[in-house]
Amino acid sequence: GFFGKWHMGHAVDDPRPGFDKWVSFRGQGTYYKPELNIDGERVSKDGYISDVLTDYALDWMKQDRDKPFFMYLSHKAVHAMFMPAKRHLGKYDDVELEYPSTMADTKDNYDDKPQWVKEQRNSWHGVDYMYHGQMNFDTFYRRYCETLLGIDDSIGNILDYLEDAGIAESTLVIYMGDNGFSFGEHGLIDKRQMYEESMRVPMLAHCPDLIQPGTKVTRMVQNIDIAETVLEAAGIKAPDNMDGKSILPLLKGKEIPWRDAVFYEYYWERNFPQTPTVHGIRTDRYKYMHYHGIWDIDELYDLKNDPEEAHNLINDPKHSERVKELNTRLFDWLEETDGMLI
């Protein structure tokens, strides 16, 4: 069953192949009184979108069935512009916010950054003019956290059902975001750049029958690994043309051969012209970003010693060979994957 935001085809929300139950909506949908596509029939619902989707998911899970189920709950929240449930609105109004150190508009923060990062502050995705001035940073941050409380309620209700049904120990629950999000780091908000806050996503997995509680996977896992993981958990062999790898062995604490780098590509969008095309590679320790279409500085960071990516090492002679090596690996990958043709 699929419940929530599909968003592949902005005006299209028709049921997709492979799902027995379909509850979705067009584009980003709306937070209140959503119009849904339920198995091909358009239905208007009162209420708050996170609650409505959760109710549909719970009703579907509670059906009598003679075989295991796969349920994909894809919340609209927390997508801007953030709108919390009425029960959560204002909950964080009195909370004092902590700002990232790299948010300050200082020479130290911007001395070795590309020009586009400096100029981004005063744009749709910058802290000084976010969403064209529709929201200030403090309100933006508080409304986000309040909107997230609706997701907390949703996950709690789902997990409570699994407990009540006696299947919490044997159900693999994967909780994750579809992208990272910047909250002021380097003067930026949103995604669409390769800094850690943007390219990393939250991810938790729970299944006591498979995973030792407290397990922490330190290898570089990607969202393309989720499908293969679900298939292996279901006892199904993944097709050879899929790009990811099942992380089930890692979740079980096994040592297996694994990738030593992940690659990144973002292509300039007309709707968001301030952010250029970027290609990059991230290893366990280093990150290299190469910009396309602008005459500007590239970036190299030592994530072990500089997790906030405050000190660009691209022009440091001690790292010149590393830059060449990472650049070569990056362009080899682009050629192998036809990225050079886009």
Side-chain angles (χ1 to χ4, degrees):
F2 179 85
F3 305 86
K5 175 183 171 183
W6 187 258
H7 201 211
M8 285 186 277
H10 186 79
V12 179
D13 58 5
D14 296 333
R16 302 303 166 102
F19 295 102
D20 303 305
K21 182 68 180 180
W22 180 265
V23 179
S24 191
F25 44 78
R26 290 172 175 164
Q28 297 290 355
T30 57
Y31 275 106
Y32 282 96
K33 295 187 176 180
E35 184 180 84
L36 304 175
N37 185 320
I38 303 177
D39 298 323
E41 180 182 355
R42 202 161 299 286
V43 176
S44 295
K45 297 290 294 186
D46 288 330
Y48 184 64
I49 185 64
S50 300
D51 300 338
V52 171
L53 293 175
T54 303
D55 289 344
Y56 273 107
L58 287 169
D59 288 345
W60 181 78
M61 285 196 298
K62 291 176 181 177
Q63 294 177 13
D64 291 333
R65 50 171 53 87
D66 58 3
K67 58 183 179 179
F69 63 83
F70 170 78
M71 190 268 286
Y72 185 172
L73 176 54
S74 176
H75 278 292
K76 167 185 170 53
V78 281
H79 193 279
M81 305 291 283
F82 311 126
M83 293 181 65
K86 292 178 181 178
R87 63 186 180 275
H88 297 138
L89 180 62
K91 187 173 180 66
Y92 293 125
D93 277 354
D94 297 327
V95 173
E96 185 174 347
L97 301 180
E98 294 185 14
Y99 305 107
S101 61
T102 57
M103 179 174 166
D105 190 1
T106 63
K107 186 177 185 299
D108 284 345
N109 278 342
Y110 286 107
D111 204 28
D112 57 3
K113 288 288 185 290
Q115 186 65 31
W116 75 264
V117 178
K118 306 171 190 178
E119 296 174 350
Q120 186 86 292
R121 291 186 68 98
N122 192 41
S123 77
W124 179 271
H125 288 148
V127 295
D128 293 338
Y129 195 56
M130 57 178 57
Y131 305 124
H132 290 177
Q134 296 178 62
M135 190 179 293
N136 64 56
F137 183 83
D138 289 4
T139 301
F140 158 83
Y141 207 148
R142 291 188 170 102
R143 292 299 92 86
Y144 172 90
C145 293
E146 291 164 0
T147 304
L148 192 59
L149 292 175
I151 304 299
D152 290 347
D153 288 348
S154 171
I155 302 305
N157 289 334
I158 297 294
L159 296 179
D160 285 348
Y161 165 71
L162 297 178
E163 288 283 357
D164 293 343
I167 55 175
E169 302 291 302
S170 59
T171 301
L172 176 59
V173 180
I174 299 174
Y175 173 89
M176 65 182 298
D178 62 344
N179 55 262
F181 207 88
S182 296
F183 281 98
E185 293 85 3
H186 315 293
L188 304 174
I189 64 166
D190 203 83
K191 47 191 177 183
R192 294 180 175 86
Q193 19 88 13
M194 200 184 166
Y195 296 121
E196 287 290 273
E197 297 78 18
S198 173
M199 74 175 292
R200 298 190 67 167
V201 303
M203 184 174 175
L204 299 167
H206 179 270
C207 184
D209 282 0
L210 294 174
I211 309 168
Q212 183 71 26
T215 297
K216 183 175 182 179
V217 176
T218 59
R219 313 300 287 271
M220 287 183 287
V221 171
Q222 296 183 262
N223 52 11
I224 57 173
D225 298 326
I226 301 303
E228 282 87 336
T229 303
V230 170
L231 290 172
E232 183 177 357
I236 301 170
K237 184 182 183 303
D240 292 335
N241 63 349
M242 297 182 77
D243 292 324
K245 296 175 64 175
S246 171
I247 65 170
L248 209 56
L250 299 180
L251 295 175
K252 293 178 178 179
K254 297 180 179 179
E255 285 292 328
I256 60 172
W258 199 253
R259 63 175 68 95
D260 66 348
V262 297
F263 296 90
Y264 180 98
E265 53 187 342
Y266 169 77
Y267 292 92
W268 178 89
E269 297 174 82
R270 184 172 295 275
N271 289 343
F272 307 106
Q274 299 90 352
T275 308
T277 293
V278 57
H279 302 121
I281 177 174
R282 184 196 190 281
T283 69
D284 281 329
R285 179 167 179 176
Y286 292 98
K287 179 190 293 183
Y288 170 68
M289 300 183 233
H290 175 73
Y291 295 100
H292 176 77
I294 57 174
W295 299 104
D296 207 343
I297 188 174
D298 288 338
E299 297 178 81
L300 175 73
Y301 294 101
D302 180 346
L303 300 174
K304 179 180 178 181
N305 293 316
D306 181 24
E308 295 181 338
E309 298 167 290
H311 306 291
N312 186 5
L313 303 174
I314 198 71
N315 291 323
D316 187 333
K318 291 184 293 186
H319 293 278
S320 59
E321 289 302 314
R322 180 167 288 108
V323 171
K324 291 179 183 177
E325 175 202 347
L326 294 175
N327 180 273
T328 299
R329 286 195 65 181
L330 172 61
F331 276 87
D332 285 347
W333 175 79
L334 285 169
E335 290 187 0
E336 291 166 4
T337 58
D338 288 337
M340 299 293 287
L341 302 178
I342 295 177

